Amino acid sequence: MLAWTIYLSFAGALVLVLLPKSRPALSRWFALAIAVAGLAVALQSFAAGMGQGRTILVDLPWVPAMGIHFLLAADGISRVLVLLTGLAAVAGILFSWDIELRTNEFFAFFLALIGGVYGVFLSFDLFLLFVFYEIAIVPKYFLIAIWGSTRREYAAMKLALYSFVGSAMVLIGLLAAYATAGSHSTSLIALGHAYLPVSFQMWCFPLVFVGFGILAGMWPFHTWAPTGHVAAPTAASMLLAGVVMKLGAYGCLRVGIALFPHGLDPWGFSLAGVGSWRDVFALLAVIGIVYGALVALVQTDFKFVIGYSSVSHMGFVLLGLMTLNQIGMTGAVLQMFSHGIVAGLLFAIVGRIVYSRTHTRQLAELEPMHLSKRLPFAAGAFVVAGMASMGLPGFSGFVAELQVLIGAWQVNPWWVAAAGVGIAVGIAYTWRAMQKAFFSDNLPHARELVHENGHHLAPITWPEVTGVTLLASVSLAVGLYPRILLDTIEPAVKTLLAGGGQ
Amino acid sequence: MSGFSSEIPILTLLTVLPLVGAALALFSGKHARAVALLTTLASLSLALVAWFHIPANGTIGLIEQHAWAPSIGIEYHLGVDGLGALMLVLSAIVTLMSVDASSRVHHQPNLYFALVLLLEAGLFGSFTALNFFHWFLFWEISLIPAFFLIKLWGGAKRGPAATQFFVYTMAGSVALLLAFLAVFVATGSMDFPHLTLLASTGELQQMVTAHLGPVTLLLAIGVLAGFAVKVPIAPFHTWLPAAYAEAPSPVTMLLTGAMSKMGVYGLLRIALPIFGAQISQIRTPLLVLAVITVVMGAWAAVAQKDLKRVFAYSSVNHLGYCVLAIFALAVPTAAGDAPMHASQAAALNGVILQMFNHGITAAALFWFIAMLQQRSGGARGIDDFGGLRKPAPVFAGLMGIALFSSLGLPGLNGFVGEFLIFRGVFPLAWVAATVSILGLLVTAAVILTVIQKVFAGPVPERLATFPDLHHGERMALAPVIGLMLLIGLLPQLIVDSVNPTVLNLLAHWRF
């Protein structure tokens, strides 16, 4: 059943290309219907899969000579991320309701991207996973290059190049693993049982991990992320930050850690307290958390604030993965989901609700506009999204970060101390952006500028209200009752740790 | 744990009620105040039901306990004893007073009253929670509406005041959060009663030391810092005068009447039970801070010209007595040392009474300031008034009662708490108590000055037609003033229910 998310999305993309250009409304409604159908399938499978382990969805021989199968399967981690993708897809389409330029093509690329993402999360064959991973890069490029804004060609090219470099590293690692294992199958399940020498894992693990980590926004390979997020049209930023970055993190977990567990073993010597790849990547994660937050604090462009905040929040995912314990890794997966929802919401508010009306994203220019009065809905939505992003309790981010920190505390308290600084700065930058964009005190200056910009701001539309409500209530629901997701994630993480942990 | 579970989840209902009210208020436009009044009245009734159903032996009752997110120690665990139930009643009364006083909100009244009710839910939640996560959720929830109430409805300098308030409290919260994360990593529990048990046997410290090294004292300081901001304790008080002065007066009523009690409550429910031994270790410096809070608060009040700032600093002073008593009673005592135990019990009874009485009195005082401002076109300087007892004798009389209650006049509610505090603190820490007497004297001087400058002397011409309280205002104020008299004359109405809790708490604390 879950496999239909992939088929539906690609079929939808194909139909959209064939739809007439002259009828944008038709394309919109059709795309929305496809996305909602995908979400419905994801939800149904999520509910049905509760308490179940890994289920094989499809297993067909594809290139039998090389042992390549069209193997789709789902465990708790996949189900949660597929659900996230479904939600992001629906919300993304709702927030793209105002796209008038080549509407059908836009939604075709959008659905193709979604299909690729679904594919990655459900592939249990390395080759298949890689194919979907590559498929996802192409529509991203076009979405930014055609419908993007600020320096879109540059950003699109940068994003594509970074992605391809990462993919190349992953590909080398995977081919080497396939050859070394002497396996006749590229199935992740079979390779997980194959013997890979520790010395091999030691060099192959960092290659694969960094390869995927690039897409997860790992510092210092994160620079594509802010520029890409900013240049992308709103829906694409939502997907980039919301789900594409999770592809990277998912790869780190599903392929990197699960296939090469010994790559994380100590080297036997230590340099300045760093004695294993685990320490190295945890350090990079912590630097990412703090660096992303500090850079977000000084941005003048509203969208860049959110862009860098993604780097910081994804640092928590990588840190959680490096704890290698149940609680920290569960937190990492939950943070993937949470950040997907919250970052999507933030980009929607900044890119769609605010920018499409004010035509500026400069905080200094937004300051005198009195948006809390003129766009109270946007202000209210940003307050909620900001609280979720700050990690206030009651929202999904709190539980996720709490788990990552608890997991990290069991391994190395210094990681927690540094991440704590990141949280404090995170509160500060969200705060600063909220103050400047919506609740500025610059009153005396305001009157003249408001006059100048006195043109009427278009009223909020129903797709915007629906999208905001959808994402905000999901974050709130997970924050108040995290077991909705934890009960599914925890057993999967346990299996993964037991299977590859020793 | 002992105690009884009730069939009806009163505490959950109590927390949900204002949330529902907030949602209704948001969509009821101009009728939001009516919705808020009904909600707060219903909340007060429920809080009183809870107050009359606490166990007579002082243990925690009305317990509700359900799994929430067990893998990270999160549990839905609610319950109240005499202390918690009294705070529920206080929060409900203060919120009702605040809604009553907010008769002139013209700008977005629906949002205003929704935020007030959200704040009430935060108060109820944090006074009933017995699990850190649950408690922290409501502790933070209450912060957001408070911030926006200052930011959107406050006076001229509301922006910086709101920001300062938010930043200070948030910094305190981060300290609290990190400390409790460490406690969870070491013990695997976030449950207050369970952690109290671990602390009373000394296991908590051993577990923390084993997992994280000798950092228990550091954790205690982190937790204390979080509460010190909220109460506030010097030197963490600097956000308070601006916030109290810039907030609209009905919101100041909530801030000082109820929210400041969240900090004192946290010291009693969380800091002392779980980190009693560490607090006792650094008792002397803490007592110094408490004395500074008491004396500085009083002296600073003398220097103010703005009535709201006068009472803001006098609030710092009044809660300083609570903090003084809390730190003073944190001494190890021998098992059979009856006089010491009696002193501790007196001090703790005093703290809890003082929390309640200060809440009622301070909220009433800011209500009177709101009425002064309404009648004088916004003026609230101490020198802007004079001779008001002639044109407005009832106003002067009732505000006079509230002022004398704040001063601690015997026969009024303010006296009992302060008397018990000093009765307890003198044997426990006589130097600190002696210096703090200075605070009492200065406060008396401040309040008498206010009375003299506002109500006595010649009436300025522009105040000659100062209207007295009209019928509706008298009816609204009567129960509050009546409560001050009632508790002043019959303190046993509260003490009889609080004392068993005090003895029970002291029996479980280890210093």
Side-chain angles (χ1 to χ4, degrees):
Chain A
M1 187 70 184
L2 207 45
W4 278 94
T5 51
I6 308 173
Y7 311 148
L8 268 175
S9 306
F10 283 121
L14 210 62
V15 173
L16 272 166
V17 176
L18 303 175
L19 282 181
K21 268 192 183 36
S22 54
R23 301 190 55 191
L26 181 67
S27 306
R28 280 181 206 127
W29 281 103
F30 179 76
L32 184 63
I34 295 286
V36 168
L39 175 61
V41 171
L43 260 176
Q44 191 275 334
S45 304
F46 177 80
M50 253 177 213
Q52 283 184 35
R54 184 171 57 210
T55 40
I56 305 285
L57 304 167
V58 183
D59 188 0
L60 298 169
W62 189 5
V63 189
M66 289 180 64
I68 298 174
H69 279 234
F70 188 81
L71 172 60
L72 298 179
D75 64 358
I77 300 171
S78 314
R79 287 192 196 102
V80 165
L81 293 174
V82 165
L83 185 61
L84 166 68
T85 312
L87 287 165
V90 172
I93 289 173
L94 285 172
F95 287 114
S96 311
W97 218 248
D98 59 338
I99 297 267
E100 296 291 346
L101 173 74
R102 296 154 79 177
T103 313
N104 60 331
E105 287 175 48
F106 177 86
F107 286 116
F109 280 122
F110 185 90
L111 286 182
L113 173 53
I114 290 291
V117 173
Y118 278 132
V120 172
F121 289 146
L122 294 173
S123 297
F124 268 70
D125 182 282
L126 270 186
F127 185 77
L128 184 62
L129 187 144
F130 193 75
V131 168
F132 278 124
Y133 191 75
E134 291 297 298
I135 286 180
I137 296 178
V138 181
K140 262 184 335 202
Y141 174 83
F142 287 110
L143 282 172
I144 297 178
I146 300 175
W147 289 274
S149 53
T150 325
R151 295 206 293 164
R152 59 189 180 201
E153 286 87 5
Y154 165 77
M157 187 53 75
K158 187 170 177 182
L159 170 83
L161 287 180
Y162 268 75
S163 303
F164 281 127
V165 170
S167 306
M169 292 168 74
V170 170
L171 187 63
I172 295 169
L174 296 188
L175 290 176
Y178 179 67
T180 312
S183 161
H184 292 295
S185 167
T186 51
S187 140
L188 269 173
I189 302 162
L191 279 172
H193 294 301
Y195 172 74
L196 292 170
V198 174
S199 58
F200 169 77
Q201 293 194 20
M202 273 294 176
W203 71 260
C204 200
F205 169 74
L207 195 68
V208 172
F209 196 87
V210 171
F212 280 118
I214 289 176
L215 209 54
M218 176 200 269
W219 190 89
F221 311 109
H222 65 280
T223 59
W224 66 269
T227 49
H229 290 161
V230 168
T234 301
S237 324
M238 291 172 67
L239 281 195
L240 273 184
V243 290
V244 171
M245 289 180 99
K246 275 75 205 175
L247 293 183
Y250 179 79
C252 288
L253 173 64
R254 179 73 79 201
V255 181
I257 295 176
L259 280 195
F260 312 107
H262 291 293
L264 292 152
D265 291 350
W267 296 326
F269 61 94
S270 92
L271 285 168
V274 174
S276 65
W277 286 114
R278 181 190 186 185
D279 292 345
V280 172
F281 292 128
L283 189 66
L284 294 184
V286 168
I287 294 176
I289 292 173
V290 178
Y291 173 87
L294 287 173
V295 177
L297 193 57
V298 296
Q299 293 306 307
T300 54
D301 182 321
F302 200 2
K303 215 170 175 184
F304 266 109
V305 176
I306 314 298
Y308 277 103
S309 85
S310 284
V311 175
S312 182
H313 284 128
M314 287 304 290
F316 276 97
V317 174
L318 295 173
L319 180 63
L321 293 180
M322 286 300 101
T323 61
L324 295 182
N325 52 37
Q326 171 78 37
I327 200 161
M329 292 180 79
T330 306
V333 178
L334 190 61
Q335 173 79 347
M336 288 191 214
F337 183 90
S338 166
H339 177 252
I341 298 292
V342 175
L345 184 53
L346 287 169
F347 275 117
I349 295 168
V350 176
R352 168 73 181 94
I353 302 183
V354 173
Y355 179 71
S356 71
R357 291 183 172 80
T358 61
H359 306 291
T360 178
R361 290 188 314 247
Q362 292 300 315
L363 288 168
E365 293 174 20
L366 290 170
E367 238 182 313
M369 286 192 186
H370 269 266
L371 291 184
S372 66
K373 299 242 165 57
R374 300 172 75 198
L375 287 176
F377 177 79
F382 193 82
V383 169
V384 173
M387 292 197 299
S389 179
M390 284 177 194
L392 288 197
F395 292 95
S396 50
F398 178 77
V399 186
E401 288 176 15
L402 188 76
Q403 286 188 309
V404 170
L405 290 180
I406 290 172
W409 209 311
Q410 291 171 358
V411 182
N412 187 341
W414 287 110
W415 296 349
V416 182
V421 173
I423 292 183
V425 183
I427 294 170
Y429 69 68
T430 315
W431 182 257
R432 171 181 168 272
M434 187 182 86
Q435 283 273 25
K436 284 193 181 267
F438 295 103
F439 296 97
S440 175
D441 300 317
N442 265 350
L443 284 171
H445 206 55
R447 198 162 296 146
E448 23 187 308
L449 268 163
V450 166
H451 221 69
E452 192 181 310
N453 290 311
H455 60 82
H456 184 62
L457 297 183
I460 303 289
T461 57
W462 69 265
E464 292 167 293
V465 177
T466 317
V468 167
T469 313
L470 175 73
L471 295 178
S473 39
V474 167
S475 176
L476 197 61
V478 174
L480 288 177
Y481 197 69
R483 279 179 72 182
I484 316 175
L485 297 183
L486 288 182
D487 284 352
T488 302
I489 300 173
E490 273 166 2
V493 168
K494 191 176 273 177
T495 315
L496 197 139
L497 276 171
Q502 60 277 63
Chain B
M1 193 181 345
S2 58
F4 69 97
S5 291
S6 74
E7 296 292 319
I8 309 163
I10 292 179
L11 300 182
T12 300
L13 284 178
L14 187 59
T15 318
V16 171
L17 186 65
L19 289 176
V20 174
L24 287 177
L26 198 56
F27 295 106
S28 54
K30 291 205 168 83
H31 305 292
R33 180 155 177 265
V35 172
L37 269 176
L38 284 177
T39 312
T40 43
L41 271 173
S43 306
L44 178 58
S45 324
L46 262 183
L48 285 170
V49 171
W51 167 253
F52 287 114
H53 283 83
I54 51 170
N57 60 1
T59 52
I60 292 177
L62 299 174
I63 292 167
E64 298 169 36
Q65 198 164 6
H66 307 284
W68 195 347
S71 58
I72 40 175
I74 296 177
E75 206 180 26
Y76 188 82
H77 192 182
L78 295 179
V80 283
D81 53 8
L83 168 64
L86 188 65
M87 289 303 110
L88 292 181
V89 175
L90 173 67
S91 309
I93 294 177
V94 171
T95 319
L96 178 59
M97 286 167 72
S98 166
V99 172
D100 232 343
S102 310
S103 55
R104 307 211 169 185
V105 180
H106 300 302
H107 170 60
Q108 288 189 295
N110 57 336
L111 185 59
Y112 174 92
F113 288 106
L115 289 173
V116 168
L117 291 175
L118 188 60
L119 179 51
E120 187 181 36
L123 290 164
F124 287 153
S126 68
F127 288 135
T128 51
L130 294 176
N131 181 285
F132 175 77
F133 173 82
H134 189 168
W135 172 82
F136 194 66
L137 173 69
F138 285 100
W139 167 272
E140 295 285 300
I141 279 185
S142 66
L143 178 59
I144 305 296
F147 167 75
F148 280 107
L149 285 168
I150 301 174
K151 173 97 198 173
L152 299 179
W153 286 273
K157 291 180 191 151
R158 60 201 176 184
T163 304
Q164 203 184 6
F165 164 74
F166 184 87
V167 169
Y168 270 66
T169 317
M170 218 39 172
S173 299
V174 172
L176 269 165
L177 177 64
L178 290 180
F180 267 89
L181 272 181
V183 169
F184 176 74
V185 169
T187 64
S189 172
M190 289 204 196
D191 190 64
F192 294 147
H194 182 66
L195 291 173
T196 306
L197 193 69
L198 288 179
S200 67
T201 56
E203 275 173 275
L204 182 86
Q205 185 162 7
Q206 290 166 13
M207 288 163 119
V208 170
T209 312
H211 277 85
L212 304 165
V215 293
T216 322
L217 184 60
L218 196 67
L219 300 184
I221 292 173
V223 169
L224 283 173
F227 296 132
V229 172
K230 199 82 159 193
V231 176
I233 303 173
F236 302 103
H237 67 282
T238 52
W239 61 269
L240 181 139
Y244 280 22
E246 294 305 323
S249 293
V251 174
T252 313
M253 292 165 70
L254 282 173
L255 291 179
T256 181
M259 269 189 97
S260 63
K261 307 306 174 297
M262 289 170 76
V264 186
Y265 177 85
L267 287 173
L268 293 176
R269 177 71 72 217
I270 299 167
L272 274 187
I274 300 175
F275 297 102
Q278 288 70 36
I279 290 173
S280 152
Q281 231 177 314
I282 51 170
R283 181 171 171 261
T284 310
L286 289 175
L287 277 173
V288 171
L289 290 183
V291 171
I292 292 175
T293 309
V294 165
V295 177
M296 179 280 304
W299 275 115
V302 174
Q304 303 305 314
K305 290 293 166 209
D306 174 351
L307 277 174
K308 281 178 95 171
R309 283 183 188 257
V310 172
F311 292 119
Y313 277 108
S314 112
S315 273
V316 175
N317 160 273
H318 278 106
L319 290 174
Y321 298 125
C322 289
V323 177
L324 172 73
I326 287 172
F327 293 146
L329 65 82
V331 274
T333 46
D337 192 349
M340 281 300 259
H341 288 149
S343 299
Q344 286 180 320
L348 190 50
N349 268 310
V351 169
I352 297 175
L353 273 174
Q354 173 84 346
M355 286 163 79
F356 186 80
N357 291 326
H358 173 261
I360 301 289
T361 304
L365 284 174
F366 280 102
W367 193 352
F368 281 111
I369 293 178
M371 294 185 206
L372 274 178
Q373 278 184 279
Q374 275 172 23
R375 286 165 160 74
S376 65
R380 55 169 206 240
I382 194 166
D383 298 322
D384 292 344
F385 301 97
L388 285 188
R389 69 189 164 84
K390 287 194 198 90
V394 180
F395 189 109
L398 294 186
M399 185 167 173
I401 295 178
L403 283 164
F404 277 114
S405 150
S406 177
L407 184 148
L409 191 74
L412 288 171
N413 60 336
F415 169 73
V416 204
E418 284 179 19
F419 173 79
L420 281 174
I421 285 178
F422 277 96
R423 148 75 187 84
V425 173
F426 258 110
L428 294 167
W430 67 271
V431 179
T434 314
V435 183
S436 297
I437 291 282
L438 204 62
L440 282 181
L441 298 176
V442 177
T443 305
V446 170
I447 287 171
L448 292 173
T449 312
V450 170
I451 292 175
Q452 200 175 9
K453 289 207 169 181
V454 176
F455 296 119
V459 190
E461 211 164 295
R462 61 190 165 78
L463 293 178
T465 55
F466 190 89
D468 204 348
L469 294 177
H470 59 69
H471 187 68
E473 288 169 330
R474 291 181 200 186
M475 293 305 288
L477 281 166
V480 179
I481 302 293
L483 193 62
M484 291 180 190
L485 290 163
L486 187 67
I487 298 169
L489 297 171
L490 299 170
Q492 59 266 39
L493 286 178
I494 292 180
V495 178
D496 283 352
S497 297
V498 165
N499 191 47
T501 297
V502 164
L503 298 178
N504 186 56
L505 288 176
L506 284 171
H508 287 91
W509 292 351
R510 179 175 170 275
F511 297 113

